[in-house]
Amino acid sequence: MGSRPDGWWRDRAAAATRIRDDLAAAVAAGHPIGDLPPPVEVVLVVEGRAGGVGPVPGVEVVSAPGSGDDAIVDVVRDRGQDRPVVVVTADRELRGRVAALGATVHGPRWLRP
C-alpha cells in the first residue's frame, strides 16, 4: 500500500479493501495479475488496523497475528513447496527473505502501474 501516496495511512483497512477488490475484479474478469496469465491464486496479507479485512471470491486474505512480513514469509514457505509463488513488495529485506525461499519478487508497479 505504501507505494501510492493516496492517504492509505489514514485508513489502512479501506486501503487494503481497495487493493483486495481491485485484485478480485481482475481475477473475476480473467485479466492477468501483473504479467501472470489466469488463473492465479491471490493471497493478500494484512496486518494491524487492516486486520479485519476479509476474503472475497478470488482473493484469500491472511490476517497477520504479528508482523505482516513474517506472515508473508510463512505463506511463501507453506505454499511454495508445490507451486510457483510471486510476492509483490517494495520492502528490500522482505524481498531477500522470500527470494531465499524460491519466490519471484516484483515491486508494486508490476501489480499496479
XYZ file of all heavy atoms in Angstrom:
825
model
N 0.818 -1.196 0.000
C 0.000 0.000 0.000
C 0.851 1.245 0.000
O 0.459 2.246 -0.559
C -0.901 0.012 1.237
C -2.023 -0.965 1.161
S -3.183 -0.853 2.522
C -2.216 -1.398 3.880
N 1.990 1.186 0.640
C 2.789 2.377 0.846
C 3.392 2.976 -0.391
O 3.933 4.070 -0.342
N 3.301 2.310 -1.516
C 3.923 2.838 -2.720
C 3.104 3.939 -3.372
O 3.610 4.658 -4.216
C 4.167 1.712 -3.724
O 2.944 1.217 -4.204
N 1.856 4.092 -2.984
C 0.996 5.137 -3.555
C 0.579 6.103 -2.455
O -0.075 5.703 -1.498
C -0.261 4.529 -4.154
C -0.008 3.846 -5.454
C -1.323 3.490 -6.080
N -1.046 3.016 -7.430
C -1.968 2.798 -8.319
N -3.225 3.002 -8.027
N -1.661 2.375 -9.510
N 0.930 7.372 -2.610
C 0.545 8.347 -1.580
C -0.915 8.771 -1.723
O -1.227 9.903 -2.053
C 1.501 9.510 -1.842
C 1.793 9.429 -3.301
C 1.757 7.964 -3.654
N -1.826 7.834 -1.475
C -3.252 8.112 -1.655
C -3.993 8.253 -0.330
O -5.212 8.149 -0.291
C -3.897 7.025 -2.511
C -3.823 5.649 -1.877
O -3.255 5.508 -0.774
O -4.328 4.684 -2.494
N -3.241 8.442 0.746
C -3.864 8.586 2.053
C -4.092 7.269 2.769
O -4.790 7.227 3.780
N -3.484 6.186 2.294
C -3.686 4.855 2.879
C -3.391 4.826 4.364
O -4.007 4.059 5.093
C -2.847 3.803 2.142
C -1.369 4.031 2.241
C -0.581 4.680 1.339
C -0.503 3.620 3.297
N 0.716 4.700 1.775
C 0.794 4.057 2.978
C -0.692 2.930 4.500
C 1.886 3.836 3.802
C 0.402 2.706 5.313
C 1.675 3.159 4.960
N -2.480 5.658 4.826
C -2.080 5.659 6.236
C -3.190 6.170 7.153
O -3.187 5.879 8.331
C -0.810 6.482 6.428
C -0.938 7.878 5.908
C -1.369 8.975 6.596
C -0.666 8.312 4.575
N -1.389 10.075 5.766
C -0.960 9.697 4.509
C -0.224 7.689 3.415
C -0.806 10.441 3.356
C -0.063 8.440 2.270
C -0.361 9.795 2.245
N -4.149 6.895 6.610
C -5.265 7.387 7.426
C -6.311 6.312 7.669
O -7.011 6.346 8.679
C -5.906 8.600 6.757
C -5.044 9.843 6.824
C -5.810 11.055 6.331
N -6.120 10.952 4.914
C -5.433 11.542 3.944
N -4.390 12.276 4.223
N -5.792 11.398 2.679
N -6.447 5.383 6.717
C -7.437 4.317 6.848
C -6.887 3.062 6.170
O -7.167 2.785 5.005
C -8.765 4.747 6.223
C -9.897 3.779 6.551
O -9.613 2.629 6.984
O -11.066 4.160 6.342
N -6.093 2.326 6.919
C -5.414 1.151 6.368
C -6.395 0.065 5.944
O -6.162 -0.629 4.953
C -4.414 0.612 7.375
C -3.271 1.598 7.573
C -2.394 1.221 8.738
N -1.548 2.328 9.100
C -0.233 2.324 8.955
N 0.374 1.267 8.483
N 0.463 3.373 9.301
N -7.480 -0.082 6.677
C -8.471 -1.094 6.298
C -9.109 -0.747 4.954
O -9.302 -1.625 4.104
C -9.529 -1.240 7.382
N -9.435 0.517 4.745
C -10.027 0.929 3.464
C -9.035 0.732 2.320
O -9.410 0.294 1.235
C -10.482 2.384 3.528
N -7.766 1.027 2.567
C -6.750 0.837 1.531
C -6.587 -0.639 1.191
O -6.504 -1.009 0.013
C -5.418 1.429 1.989
N -6.563 -1.494 2.204
C -6.462 -2.938 1.965
C -7.699 -3.445 1.231
O -7.597 -4.303 0.348
C -6.267 -3.684 3.278
N -8.848 -2.913 1.573
C -10.094 -3.299 0.900
C -10.043 -2.905 -0.575
O -10.463 -3.681 -1.448
C -11.307 -2.666 1.602
O -11.356 -3.152 2.947
C -12.604 -2.998 0.890
N -9.525 -1.718 -0.882
C -9.411 -1.288 -2.284
C -8.501 -2.229 -3.066
O -8.839 -2.647 -4.184
C -8.877 0.145 -2.375
C -9.893 1.216 -2.066
C -9.392 2.605 -2.449
N -8.151 2.993 -1.780
C -8.074 3.561 -0.582
N -9.179 3.786 0.117
N -6.906 3.900 -0.074
N -7.362 -2.569 -2.483
C -6.439 -3.480 -3.169
C -7.103 -4.846 -3.368
O -7.054 -5.426 -4.447
C -5.125 -3.618 -2.381
C -4.343 -2.310 -2.438
C -4.284 -4.779 -2.918
C -3.145 -2.267 -1.520
N -7.723 -5.361 -2.312
C -8.404 -6.653 -2.398
C -9.454 -6.647 -3.501
O -9.519 -7.558 -4.328
C -9.056 -6.983 -1.054
C -9.762 -8.329 -1.051
C -10.854 -8.420 -0.040
N -11.885 -7.395 -0.262
C -12.767 -7.036 0.649
N -12.767 -7.580 1.848
N -13.672 -6.110 0.378
N -10.259 -5.595 -3.540
C -11.344 -5.524 -4.517
C -10.810 -5.359 -5.941
O -11.371 -5.930 -6.885
C -12.310 -4.401 -4.162
C -13.080 -4.697 -2.880
O -13.024 -5.848 -2.373
O -13.731 -3.758 -2.363
N -9.726 -4.600 -6.115
C -9.097 -4.484 -7.438
C -8.586 -5.840 -7.917
O -8.767 -6.219 -9.081
C -7.933 -3.492 -7.408
C -8.365 -2.039 -7.287
O -9.584 -1.753 -7.401
O -7.481 -1.185 -7.054
N -7.948 -6.575 -7.009
C -7.442 -7.904 -7.367
C -8.596 -8.855 -7.682
O -8.540 -9.608 -8.658
C -6.582 -8.458 -6.242
C -5.246 -7.755 -6.023
C -4.626 -8.190 -4.700
C -4.309 -8.020 -7.185
N -9.642 -8.828 -6.872
C -10.788 -9.703 -7.094
C -11.455 -9.409 -8.433
O -11.866 -10.332 -9.148
C -11.791 -9.558 -5.947
N -11.553 -8.139 -8.790
C -12.166 -7.768 -10.072
C -11.324 -8.306 -11.233
O -11.871 -8.807 -12.216
C -12.320 -6.254 -10.169
N -10.005 -8.224 -11.112
C -9.127 -8.738 -12.164
C -9.271 -10.250 -12.293
O -9.352 -10.788 -13.395
C -7.681 -8.351 -11.879
N -9.323 -10.939 -11.157
C -9.480 -12.398 -11.172
C -10.823 -12.772 -11.797
O -10.898 -13.643 -12.663
C -9.349 -12.979 -9.744
C -9.769 -14.438 -9.711
C -7.922 -12.820 -9.225
N -11.891 -12.105 -11.375
C -13.236 -12.425 -11.868
C -13.361 -12.178 -13.373
O -14.047 -12.918 -14.074
C -14.281 -11.605 -11.112
N -12.668 -11.146 -13.858
C -12.744 -10.816 -15.282
C -11.786 -11.658 -16.121
O -11.802 -11.572 -17.351
C -12.435 -9.329 -15.475
N -10.952 -12.453 -15.447
C -9.984 -13.265 -16.174
C -8.811 -12.469 -16.699
O -8.135 -12.889 -17.627
N -8.575 -11.299 -16.100
C -7.444 -10.474 -16.514
C -6.158 -10.965 -15.858
O -6.190 -11.528 -14.765
C -7.668 -9.015 -16.116
C -8.794 -8.378 -16.837
N -9.540 -7.373 -16.293
C -9.340 -8.598 -18.057
C -10.480 -6.997 -17.131
N -10.374 -7.733 -18.208
N -5.041 -10.711 -16.508
C -3.777 -11.092 -15.880
C -3.523 -10.279 -14.613
O -3.973 -9.138 -14.489
C -2.725 -10.762 -16.932
C -3.433 -10.261 -18.122
C -4.877 -10.115 -17.813
N -2.812 -10.873 -13.691
C -2.326 -10.167 -12.499
C -0.855 -9.926 -12.776
O -0.088 -10.876 -12.929
C -2.500 -11.016 -11.225
C -3.964 -11.437 -11.022
C -1.951 -10.290 -10.006
C -4.923 -10.324 -10.701
N -0.454 -8.638 -12.846
C 0.909 -8.353 -13.287
C 1.069 -8.918 -14.678
O 0.283 -8.630 -15.560
N 2.064 -9.765 -14.884
C 2.227 -10.418 -16.186
C 1.885 -11.905 -16.122
O 2.257 -12.675 -17.000
C 3.631 -10.205 -16.735
C 4.726 -10.752 -15.829
O 4.419 -11.398 -14.800
O 5.906 -10.526 -16.139
N 1.165 -12.314 -15.069
C 0.776 -13.712 -14.911
C -0.557 -13.971 -15.596
O -1.554 -13.312 -15.294
C 0.646 -14.074 -13.432
C 1.881 -13.875 -12.569
C 1.546 -14.149 -11.107
C 3.005 -14.777 -13.043
N -0.609 -14.923 -16.494
C -1.896 -15.226 -17.113
C -2.800 -15.960 -16.131
O -2.323 -16.655 -15.245
C -1.505 -16.132 -18.283
C -0.219 -16.767 -17.862
C 0.477 -15.757 -16.989
N -4.103 -15.788 -16.262
C -5.020 -16.510 -15.395
C -4.960 -18.008 -15.693
O -4.576 -18.382 -16.788
C -6.382 -15.941 -15.749
C -6.183 -14.962 -16.834
C -4.751 -14.912 -17.191
N -5.352 -18.823 -14.778
C -5.821 -18.491 -13.433
C -4.650 -18.361 -12.461
O -3.613 -18.998 -12.631
C -6.686 -19.694 -13.062
C -6.034 -20.840 -13.776
C -5.470 -20.260 -15.056
N -4.826 -17.517 -11.471
C -3.853 -17.357 -10.395
C -4.571 -17.458 -9.062
O -5.766 -17.183 -8.958
C -3.087 -16.009 -10.463
C -2.260 -15.910 -11.729
C -4.033 -14.830 -10.363
N -3.831 -17.862 -8.055
C -4.337 -17.870 -6.687
C -3.793 -16.613 -6.033
O -2.579 -16.400 -6.013
C -3.840 -19.107 -5.952
C -4.256 -19.162 -4.509
C -3.670 -20.374 -3.793
O -3.023 -21.214 -4.441
O -3.865 -20.458 -2.578
N -4.665 -15.760 -5.528
C -4.242 -14.487 -4.940
C -4.420 -14.547 -3.431
O -5.502 -14.871 -2.934
C -5.054 -13.302 -5.516
C -4.646 -11.995 -4.854
C -4.877 -13.222 -7.025
N -3.335 -14.229 -2.727
C -3.363 -14.163 -1.264
C -2.891 -12.767 -0.875
O -1.800 -12.352 -1.243
C -2.438 -15.223 -0.619
C -2.473 -15.109 0.894
C -2.818 -16.622 -1.073
N -3.718 -12.063 -0.124
C -3.392 -10.730 0.373
C -3.126 -10.849 1.862
O -3.979 -11.349 2.607
C -4.564 -9.778 0.120
C -4.451 -8.362 0.671
C -3.326 -7.593 -0.035
C -5.779 -7.628 0.501
N -1.951 -10.425 2.304
C -1.630 -10.455 3.731
C -1.848 -9.055 4.293
O -1.329 -8.075 3.755
C -0.171 -10.917 3.968
C 0.186 -10.827 5.442
C 0.030 -12.342 3.451
N -2.637 -8.978 5.361
C -2.925 -7.702 6.016
C -2.450 -7.766 7.458
O -2.321 -8.846 8.034
C -4.424 -7.349 5.946
C -4.865 -7.132 4.508
C -5.286 -8.414 6.594
N -2.191 -6.596 8.024
C -1.734 -6.544 9.414
C -2.291 -5.304 10.088
O -2.822 -4.415 9.440
C -0.202 -6.524 9.471
C 0.402 -5.261 8.894
C 1.927 -5.226 8.946
O 2.530 -6.024 9.675
O 2.506 -4.373 8.249
N -2.156 -5.271 11.390
C -2.540 -4.092 12.161
C -3.985 -3.707 11.965
O -4.889 -4.530 12.007
N -4.217 -2.418 11.717
C -5.584 -1.901 11.577
C -6.311 -2.418 10.345
O -7.518 -2.260 10.237
C -5.561 -0.380 11.564
C -5.278 0.182 12.950
C -5.328 1.675 12.941
N -3.971 2.127 13.212
C -3.465 3.267 12.846
N -4.191 4.125 12.176
N -2.222 3.576 13.143
N -5.586 -3.043 9.429
C -6.234 -3.641 8.261
C -6.620 -5.089 8.533
O -7.179 -5.760 7.677
C -5.309 -3.565 7.051
N -6.353 -5.575 9.746
C -6.578 -6.973 10.088
C -8.004 -7.460 9.970
O -8.235 -8.652 9.867
N -8.966 -6.579 9.957
C -10.353 -7.005 9.865
C -10.857 -7.197 8.448
O -12.003 -7.590 8.246
N -10.023 -6.938 7.466
C -10.438 -7.090 6.072
C -10.557 -8.575 5.762
O -9.641 -9.349 6.014
C -9.420 -6.413 5.125
C -9.743 -6.712 3.678
C -9.390 -4.916 5.374
N -11.692 -8.959 5.241
C -11.938 -10.373 4.978
C -11.738 -10.754 3.532
O -11.537 -9.903 2.667
N -11.832 -12.044 3.259
C -11.673 -12.533 1.893
C -12.915 -12.252 1.051
O -13.993 -11.983 1.577
C -11.491 -14.038 2.092
C -12.261 -14.329 3.339
C -12.084 -13.120 4.216
N -12.727 -12.313 -0.242
C -13.817 -12.249 -1.217
C -13.507 -13.316 -2.266
O -12.366 -13.799 -2.338
C -13.940 -10.850 -1.879
C -14.337 -9.791 -0.870
C -12.665 -10.463 -2.596
N -14.480 -13.697 -3.066
C -14.184 -14.679 -4.102
C -13.007 -14.224 -4.966
O -12.970 -13.093 -5.448
C -15.480 -14.748 -4.917
C -16.540 -14.391 -3.918
C -15.904 -13.343 -3.054
N -12.023 -15.097 -5.093
C -10.843 -14.798 -5.905
C -9.661 -14.279 -5.124
O -8.552 -14.246 -5.642
N -9.879 -13.845 -3.882
C -8.779 -13.313 -3.073
C -8.889 -13.844 -1.654
O -9.832 -13.528 -0.927
C -8.752 -11.767 -3.037
C -7.595 -11.260 -2.177
C -8.662 -11.190 -4.446
N -7.921 -14.652 -1.269
C -7.809 -15.108 0.112
C -7.125 -13.994 0.896
O -6.209 -13.338 0.382
C -6.961 -16.377 0.171
C -6.739 -16.895 1.563
C -5.840 -18.119 1.606
O -5.560 -18.716 0.545
O -5.408 -18.458 2.713
N -7.549 -13.762 2.114
C -6.912 -12.755 2.961
C -6.366 -13.452 4.197
O -7.087 -14.177 4.883
C -7.896 -11.631 3.363
C -7.226 -10.636 4.310
C -8.419 -10.911 2.130
N -5.079 -13.221 4.448
C -4.419 -13.746 5.638
C -4.180 -12.567 6.568
O -3.519 -11.597 6.191
C -3.082 -14.434 5.284
C -2.313 -14.812 6.541
C -3.323 -15.646 4.408
N -4.743 -12.637 7.760
C -4.559 -11.585 8.754
C -3.366 -11.960 9.628
O -3.406 -12.953 10.358
C -5.825 -11.436 9.591
O -5.702 -10.334 10.452
N -2.308 -11.189 9.546
C -1.075 -11.486 10.282
C -1.302 -11.266 11.778
O -1.750 -10.202 12.185
C 0.053 -10.587 9.801
N -0.966 -12.262 12.590
C -1.111 -12.088 14.033
C -0.049 -11.152 14.613
O -0.221 -10.627 15.695
C -0.946 -13.507 14.581
C -0.155 -14.228 13.544
C -0.508 -13.596 12.228
N 1.008 -10.949 13.880
C 2.096 -10.063 14.307
C 2.606 -9.311 13.094
O 1.868 -8.592 12.431
N 3.852 -9.555 12.748
C 4.475 -8.903 11.606
C 3.879 -9.398 10.292
O 3.818 -10.604 10.037
C 5.987 -9.206 11.633
O 6.562 -8.997 10.362
N 3.484 -8.456 9.448
C 2.996 -8.817 8.126
C 4.086 -9.476 7.296
O 3.827 -10.422 6.552
N 5.309 -8.985 7.430
C 6.420 -9.590 6.693
C 6.606 -11.049 7.091
O 6.801 -11.915 6.236
C 7.721 -8.827 6.939
C 7.746 -7.457 6.276
O 6.740 -7.074 5.630
O 8.762 -6.761 6.414
N 6.540 -11.337 8.386
C 6.676 -12.718 8.843
C 5.547 -13.592 8.292
O 5.770 -14.744 7.913
C 6.696 -12.800 10.366
C 7.972 -12.233 10.976
O 8.967 -12.022 10.236
O 7.967 -12.001 12.204
N 4.341 -13.049 8.225
C 3.210 -13.807 7.690
C 3.401 -14.086 6.202
O 3.070 -15.181 5.722
C 1.901 -13.058 7.934
N 3.943 -13.133 5.468
C 4.214 -13.344 4.046
C 5.248 -14.451 3.875
O 5.090 -15.347 3.039
C 4.667 -12.037 3.367
C 3.495 -11.046 3.331
C 5.212 -12.312 1.960
C 3.883 -9.631 2.957
N 6.300 -14.421 4.680
C 7.313 -15.474 4.626
C 6.679 -16.829 4.929
O 6.974 -17.826 4.252
C 8.486 -15.165 5.591
C 9.414 -16.356 5.752
C 9.259 -13.943 5.105
N 5.786 -16.878 5.898
C 5.108 -18.137 6.226
C 4.267 -18.639 5.052
O 4.257 -19.842 4.746
C 4.213 -17.973 7.460
C 5.004 -17.797 8.749
O 6.219 -18.114 8.765
O 4.393 -17.337 9.738
N 3.564 -17.731 4.385
C 2.751 -18.118 3.222
C 3.656 -18.682 2.131
O 3.361 -19.727 1.539
C 1.916 -16.929 2.685
C 1.305 -17.240 1.320
C 0.821 -16.546 3.674
N 4.771 -18.017 1.869
C 5.699 -18.495 0.840
C 6.248 -19.864 1.229
O 6.297 -20.783 0.404
C 6.843 -17.486 0.609
C 7.927 -18.070 -0.289
C 6.301 -16.188 0.026
N 6.639 -20.007 2.467
C 7.192 -21.279 2.936
C 6.156 -22.397 2.816
O 6.460 -23.487 2.353
C 7.661 -21.152 4.379
C 8.406 -22.380 4.887
C 8.910 -22.217 6.306
N 9.919 -21.172 6.409
C 9.769 -20.034 7.108
N 8.665 -19.811 7.790
N 10.722 -19.145 7.152
N 4.917 -22.117 3.197
C 3.866 -23.131 3.184
C 3.392 -23.497 1.777
O 3.093 -24.655 1.505
C 2.649 -22.667 3.990
C 2.947 -22.536 5.476
O 3.982 -23.056 5.932
O 2.147 -21.890 6.176
N 3.303 -22.519 0.893
C 2.709 -22.760 -0.423
C 3.726 -22.939 -1.530
O 3.396 -23.462 -2.592
C 1.775 -21.617 -0.778
C 0.611 -21.580 0.185
C -0.159 -20.308 0.038
N -1.070 -20.187 1.144
C -2.375 -20.043 1.002
N -2.905 -19.994 -0.176
N -3.130 -19.945 2.057
N 4.943 -22.489 -1.308
C 5.953 -22.526 -2.357
C 6.563 -23.886 -2.594
O 7.357 -24.059 -3.513
N 6.183 -24.863 -1.801
C 6.740 -26.200 -1.965
C 6.230 -26.883 -3.230
O 6.941 -27.668 -3.838
C 6.408 -27.066 -0.739
C 6.919 -26.508 0.567
C 8.428 -26.352 0.580
O 9.142 -27.242 0.147
N 8.902 -25.236 1.072
N 4.991 -26.590 -3.605
C 4.392 -27.328 -4.714
C 3.927 -26.451 -5.875
O 3.296 -26.933 -6.798
C 3.225 -28.165 -4.205
C 2.143 -27.336 -3.540
O 2.376 -26.146 -3.271
O 1.055 -27.887 -3.288
N 4.237 -25.164 -5.826
C 3.824 -24.273 -6.911
C 4.653 -22.999 -6.881
O 5.196 -22.622 -5.847
C 2.351 -23.947 -6.798
C 2.012 -23.227 -5.507
C 0.548 -23.175 -5.264
N 0.315 -23.718 -3.931
C -0.838 -23.764 -3.351
N -1.890 -23.310 -3.959
N -0.970 -24.247 -2.160
N 4.734 -22.308 -7.999
C 5.461 -21.034 -8.025
C 4.723 -19.982 -7.192
O 3.493 -19.964 -7.156
C 5.480 -20.631 -9.493
C 4.872 -21.745 -10.256
C 4.232 -22.692 -9.300
N 5.482 -19.127 -6.536
C 4.912 -18.053 -5.722
C 5.532 -16.736 -6.164
O 6.748 -16.641 -6.347
C 5.194 -18.284 -4.217
C 4.726 -17.101 -3.393
C 4.538 -19.575 -3.742
N 4.686 -15.729 -6.327
C 5.122 -14.373 -6.660
C 4.733 -13.480 -5.495
O 3.585 -13.493 -5.051
C 4.464 -13.858 -7.958
C 4.845 -12.404 -8.213
C 4.851 -14.740 -9.137
N 5.694 -12.700 -4.992
C 5.441 -11.757 -3.909
C 5.622 -10.354 -4.466
O 6.599 -10.070 -5.159
C 6.406 -11.993 -2.724
C 6.223 -10.920 -1.660
C 6.193 -13.383 -2.139
N 4.679 -9.476 -4.151
C 4.764 -8.079 -4.573
C 5.033 -7.244 -3.331
O 4.208 -7.202 -2.410
C 3.466 -7.625 -5.269
C 3.566 -6.157 -5.663
C 3.171 -8.502 -6.482
N 6.201 -6.611 -3.313
C 6.585 -5.767 -2.171
C 7.671 -4.785 -2.593
O 8.440 -5.059 -3.508
C 7.098 -6.623 -0.987
O 7.400 -5.753 0.105
C 8.335 -7.416 -1.356
N 7.718 -3.666 -1.892
C 8.791 -2.703 -2.084
C 9.848 -2.848 -0.989
O 10.889 -2.213 -1.046
C 8.225 -1.280 -2.077
N 9.582 -3.683 -0.012
C 10.463 -3.836 1.141
C 11.678 -4.684 0.779
O 11.549 -5.859 0.458
C 9.675 -4.489 2.276
C 10.467 -4.593 3.552
O 11.403 -5.423 3.602
O 10.145 -3.863 4.505
N 12.870 -4.091 0.844
C 14.097 -4.791 0.427
C 14.406 -6.008 1.286
O 14.799 -7.046 0.771
C 15.280 -3.829 0.439
C 15.211 -2.849 -0.679
C 16.423 -1.962 -0.695
N 16.202 -0.921 -1.681
C 17.064 0.007 -1.962
N 18.217 0.045 -1.330
N 16.793 0.915 -2.871
N 14.241 -5.881 2.579
C 14.524 -7.017 3.451
C 13.572 -8.173 3.156
O 13.994 -9.331 3.059
C 14.427 -6.633 4.923
C 14.743 -7.807 5.842
C 14.588 -7.470 7.308
O 14.627 -6.288 7.683
O 14.418 -8.418 8.089
N 12.289 -7.870 2.999
C 11.316 -8.910 2.687
C 11.616 -9.543 1.338
O 11.503 -10.758 1.177
C 9.892 -8.339 2.710
C 8.776 -9.318 2.371
C 8.777 -10.520 3.318
C 7.431 -8.610 2.402
N 12.018 -8.738 0.375
C 12.378 -9.276 -0.942
C 13.441 -10.354 -0.799
O 13.334 -11.431 -1.389
C 12.884 -8.162 -1.851
C 11.814 -7.178 -2.265
C 12.406 -5.993 -3.012
N 12.771 -6.338 -4.357
C 12.012 -6.131 -5.430
N 10.829 -5.553 -5.289
N 12.411 -6.483 -6.617
N 14.457 -10.086 0.002
C 15.524 -11.055 0.207
C 15.051 -12.308 0.911
O 15.442 -13.426 0.551
N 14.203 -12.137 1.909
C 13.713 -13.289 2.671
C 12.893 -14.240 1.804
O 13.064 -15.457 1.878
C 12.870 -12.811 3.861
C 13.666 -12.108 4.937
C 12.787 -11.534 6.027
N 12.129 -12.592 6.788
C 11.152 -12.362 7.667
N 10.697 -11.134 7.878
N 10.614 -13.365 8.329
N 11.996 -13.700 0.989
C 11.149 -14.578 0.181
C 11.889 -15.125 -1.038
O 11.636 -16.252 -1.466
C 9.804 -13.915 -0.209
C 8.978 -13.616 1.031
C 10.003 -12.676 -1.045
N 12.817 -14.347 -1.583
C 13.621 -14.846 -2.701
C 14.463 -16.038 -2.251
O 14.642 -17.004 -3.003
C 14.504 -13.740 -3.261
N 14.956 -15.997 -1.017
C 15.738 -17.110 -0.481
C 14.900 -18.385 -0.383
O 15.457 -19.493 -0.367
C 16.307 -16.742 0.889
N 13.580 -18.240 -0.333
C 12.680 -19.392 -0.283
C 12.201 -19.814 -1.678
O 11.384 -20.723 -1.806
C 11.468 -19.074 0.600
C 11.775 -18.862 2.078
C 10.542 -18.333 2.802
C 12.276 -20.149 2.714
N 12.691 -19.132 -2.707
C 12.347 -19.504 -4.075
C 11.250 -18.681 -4.719
O 10.863 -18.954 -5.861
N 10.727 -17.682 -4.032
C 9.670 -16.851 -4.616
C 10.255 -15.885 -5.639
O 11.384 -15.430 -5.511
C 8.942 -16.062 -3.530
N 9.452 -15.583 -6.635
C 9.767 -14.499 -7.558
C 9.246 -13.226 -6.907
O 8.159 -13.226 -6.326
C 9.054 -14.725 -8.906
O 9.513 -15.965 -9.454
C 9.324 -13.596 -9.875
N 9.996 -12.138 -6.996
C 9.608 -10.905 -6.326
C 9.506 -9.766 -7.339
O 10.365 -9.612 -8.207
C 10.618 -10.529 -5.219
C 10.144 -9.303 -4.460
C 10.862 -11.700 -4.278
N 8.434 -9.003 -7.203
C 8.223 -7.813 -8.031
C 7.867 -6.642 -7.129
O 7.316 -6.825 -6.046
C 7.077 -8.026 -9.021
C 7.359 -9.034 -10.072
N 8.221 -8.815 -11.120
C 6.889 -10.295 -10.232
C 8.270 -9.890 -11.883
N 7.474 -10.801 -11.361
N 8.143 -5.439 -7.616
C 7.744 -4.230 -6.908
C 6.292 -3.901 -7.182
O 5.666 -4.469 -8.087
N 5.742 -2.962 -6.432
C 4.321 -2.610 -6.562
C 3.914 -2.141 -7.957
O 2.780 -2.377 -8.369
C 4.133 -1.492 -5.545
C 5.219 -1.701 -4.550
C 6.377 -2.258 -5.323
N 4.802 -1.521 -8.704
C 4.414 -1.040 -10.040
C 4.144 -2.185 -11.003
O 3.430 -2.014 -11.978
C 5.497 -0.127 -10.599
C 5.495 1.209 -9.910
C 6.308 2.221 -10.655
N 6.254 3.470 -9.912
C 7.303 4.164 -9.583
N 8.503 3.776 -9.923
N 7.169 5.284 -8.893
N 4.697 -3.356 -10.699
C 4.416 -4.539 -11.532
C 2.924 -4.880 -11.432
O 2.301 -5.282 -12.403
C 5.268 -5.703 -11.043
C 4.983 -7.016 -11.687
C 5.504 -7.474 -12.870
C 4.147 -8.070 -11.191
N 5.035 -8.736 -13.125
C 4.186 -9.129 -12.115
C 3.364 -8.216 -10.049
C 3.490 -10.310 -11.930
C 2.659 -9.394 -9.869
C 2.732 -10.428 -10.808
N 2.385 -4.704 -10.231
C 0.998 -5.061 -9.978
C 0.037 -3.939 -10.341
O -1.004 -4.175 -10.946
C 0.818 -5.400 -8.485
C -0.551 -5.862 -8.036
C -0.938 -7.161 -8.730
C -0.546 -6.047 -6.527
N 0.401 -2.727 -9.960
C -0.483 -1.575 -10.162
C 0.316 -0.443 -10.785
O 0.785 0.442 -10.084
C -1.062 -1.120 -8.831
C -1.930 -2.181 -8.170
C -2.348 -1.755 -6.809
N -3.425 -0.778 -6.921
C -4.025 -0.244 -5.884
N -3.661 -0.534 -4.665
N -4.988 0.624 -6.060
N 0.454 -0.461 -12.111
C 1.264 0.584 -12.780
C 0.725 1.982 -12.571
O -0.391 2.180 -12.259
C 1.242 0.196 -14.238
C 0.363 -0.977 -14.390
C -0.134 -1.374 -13.038
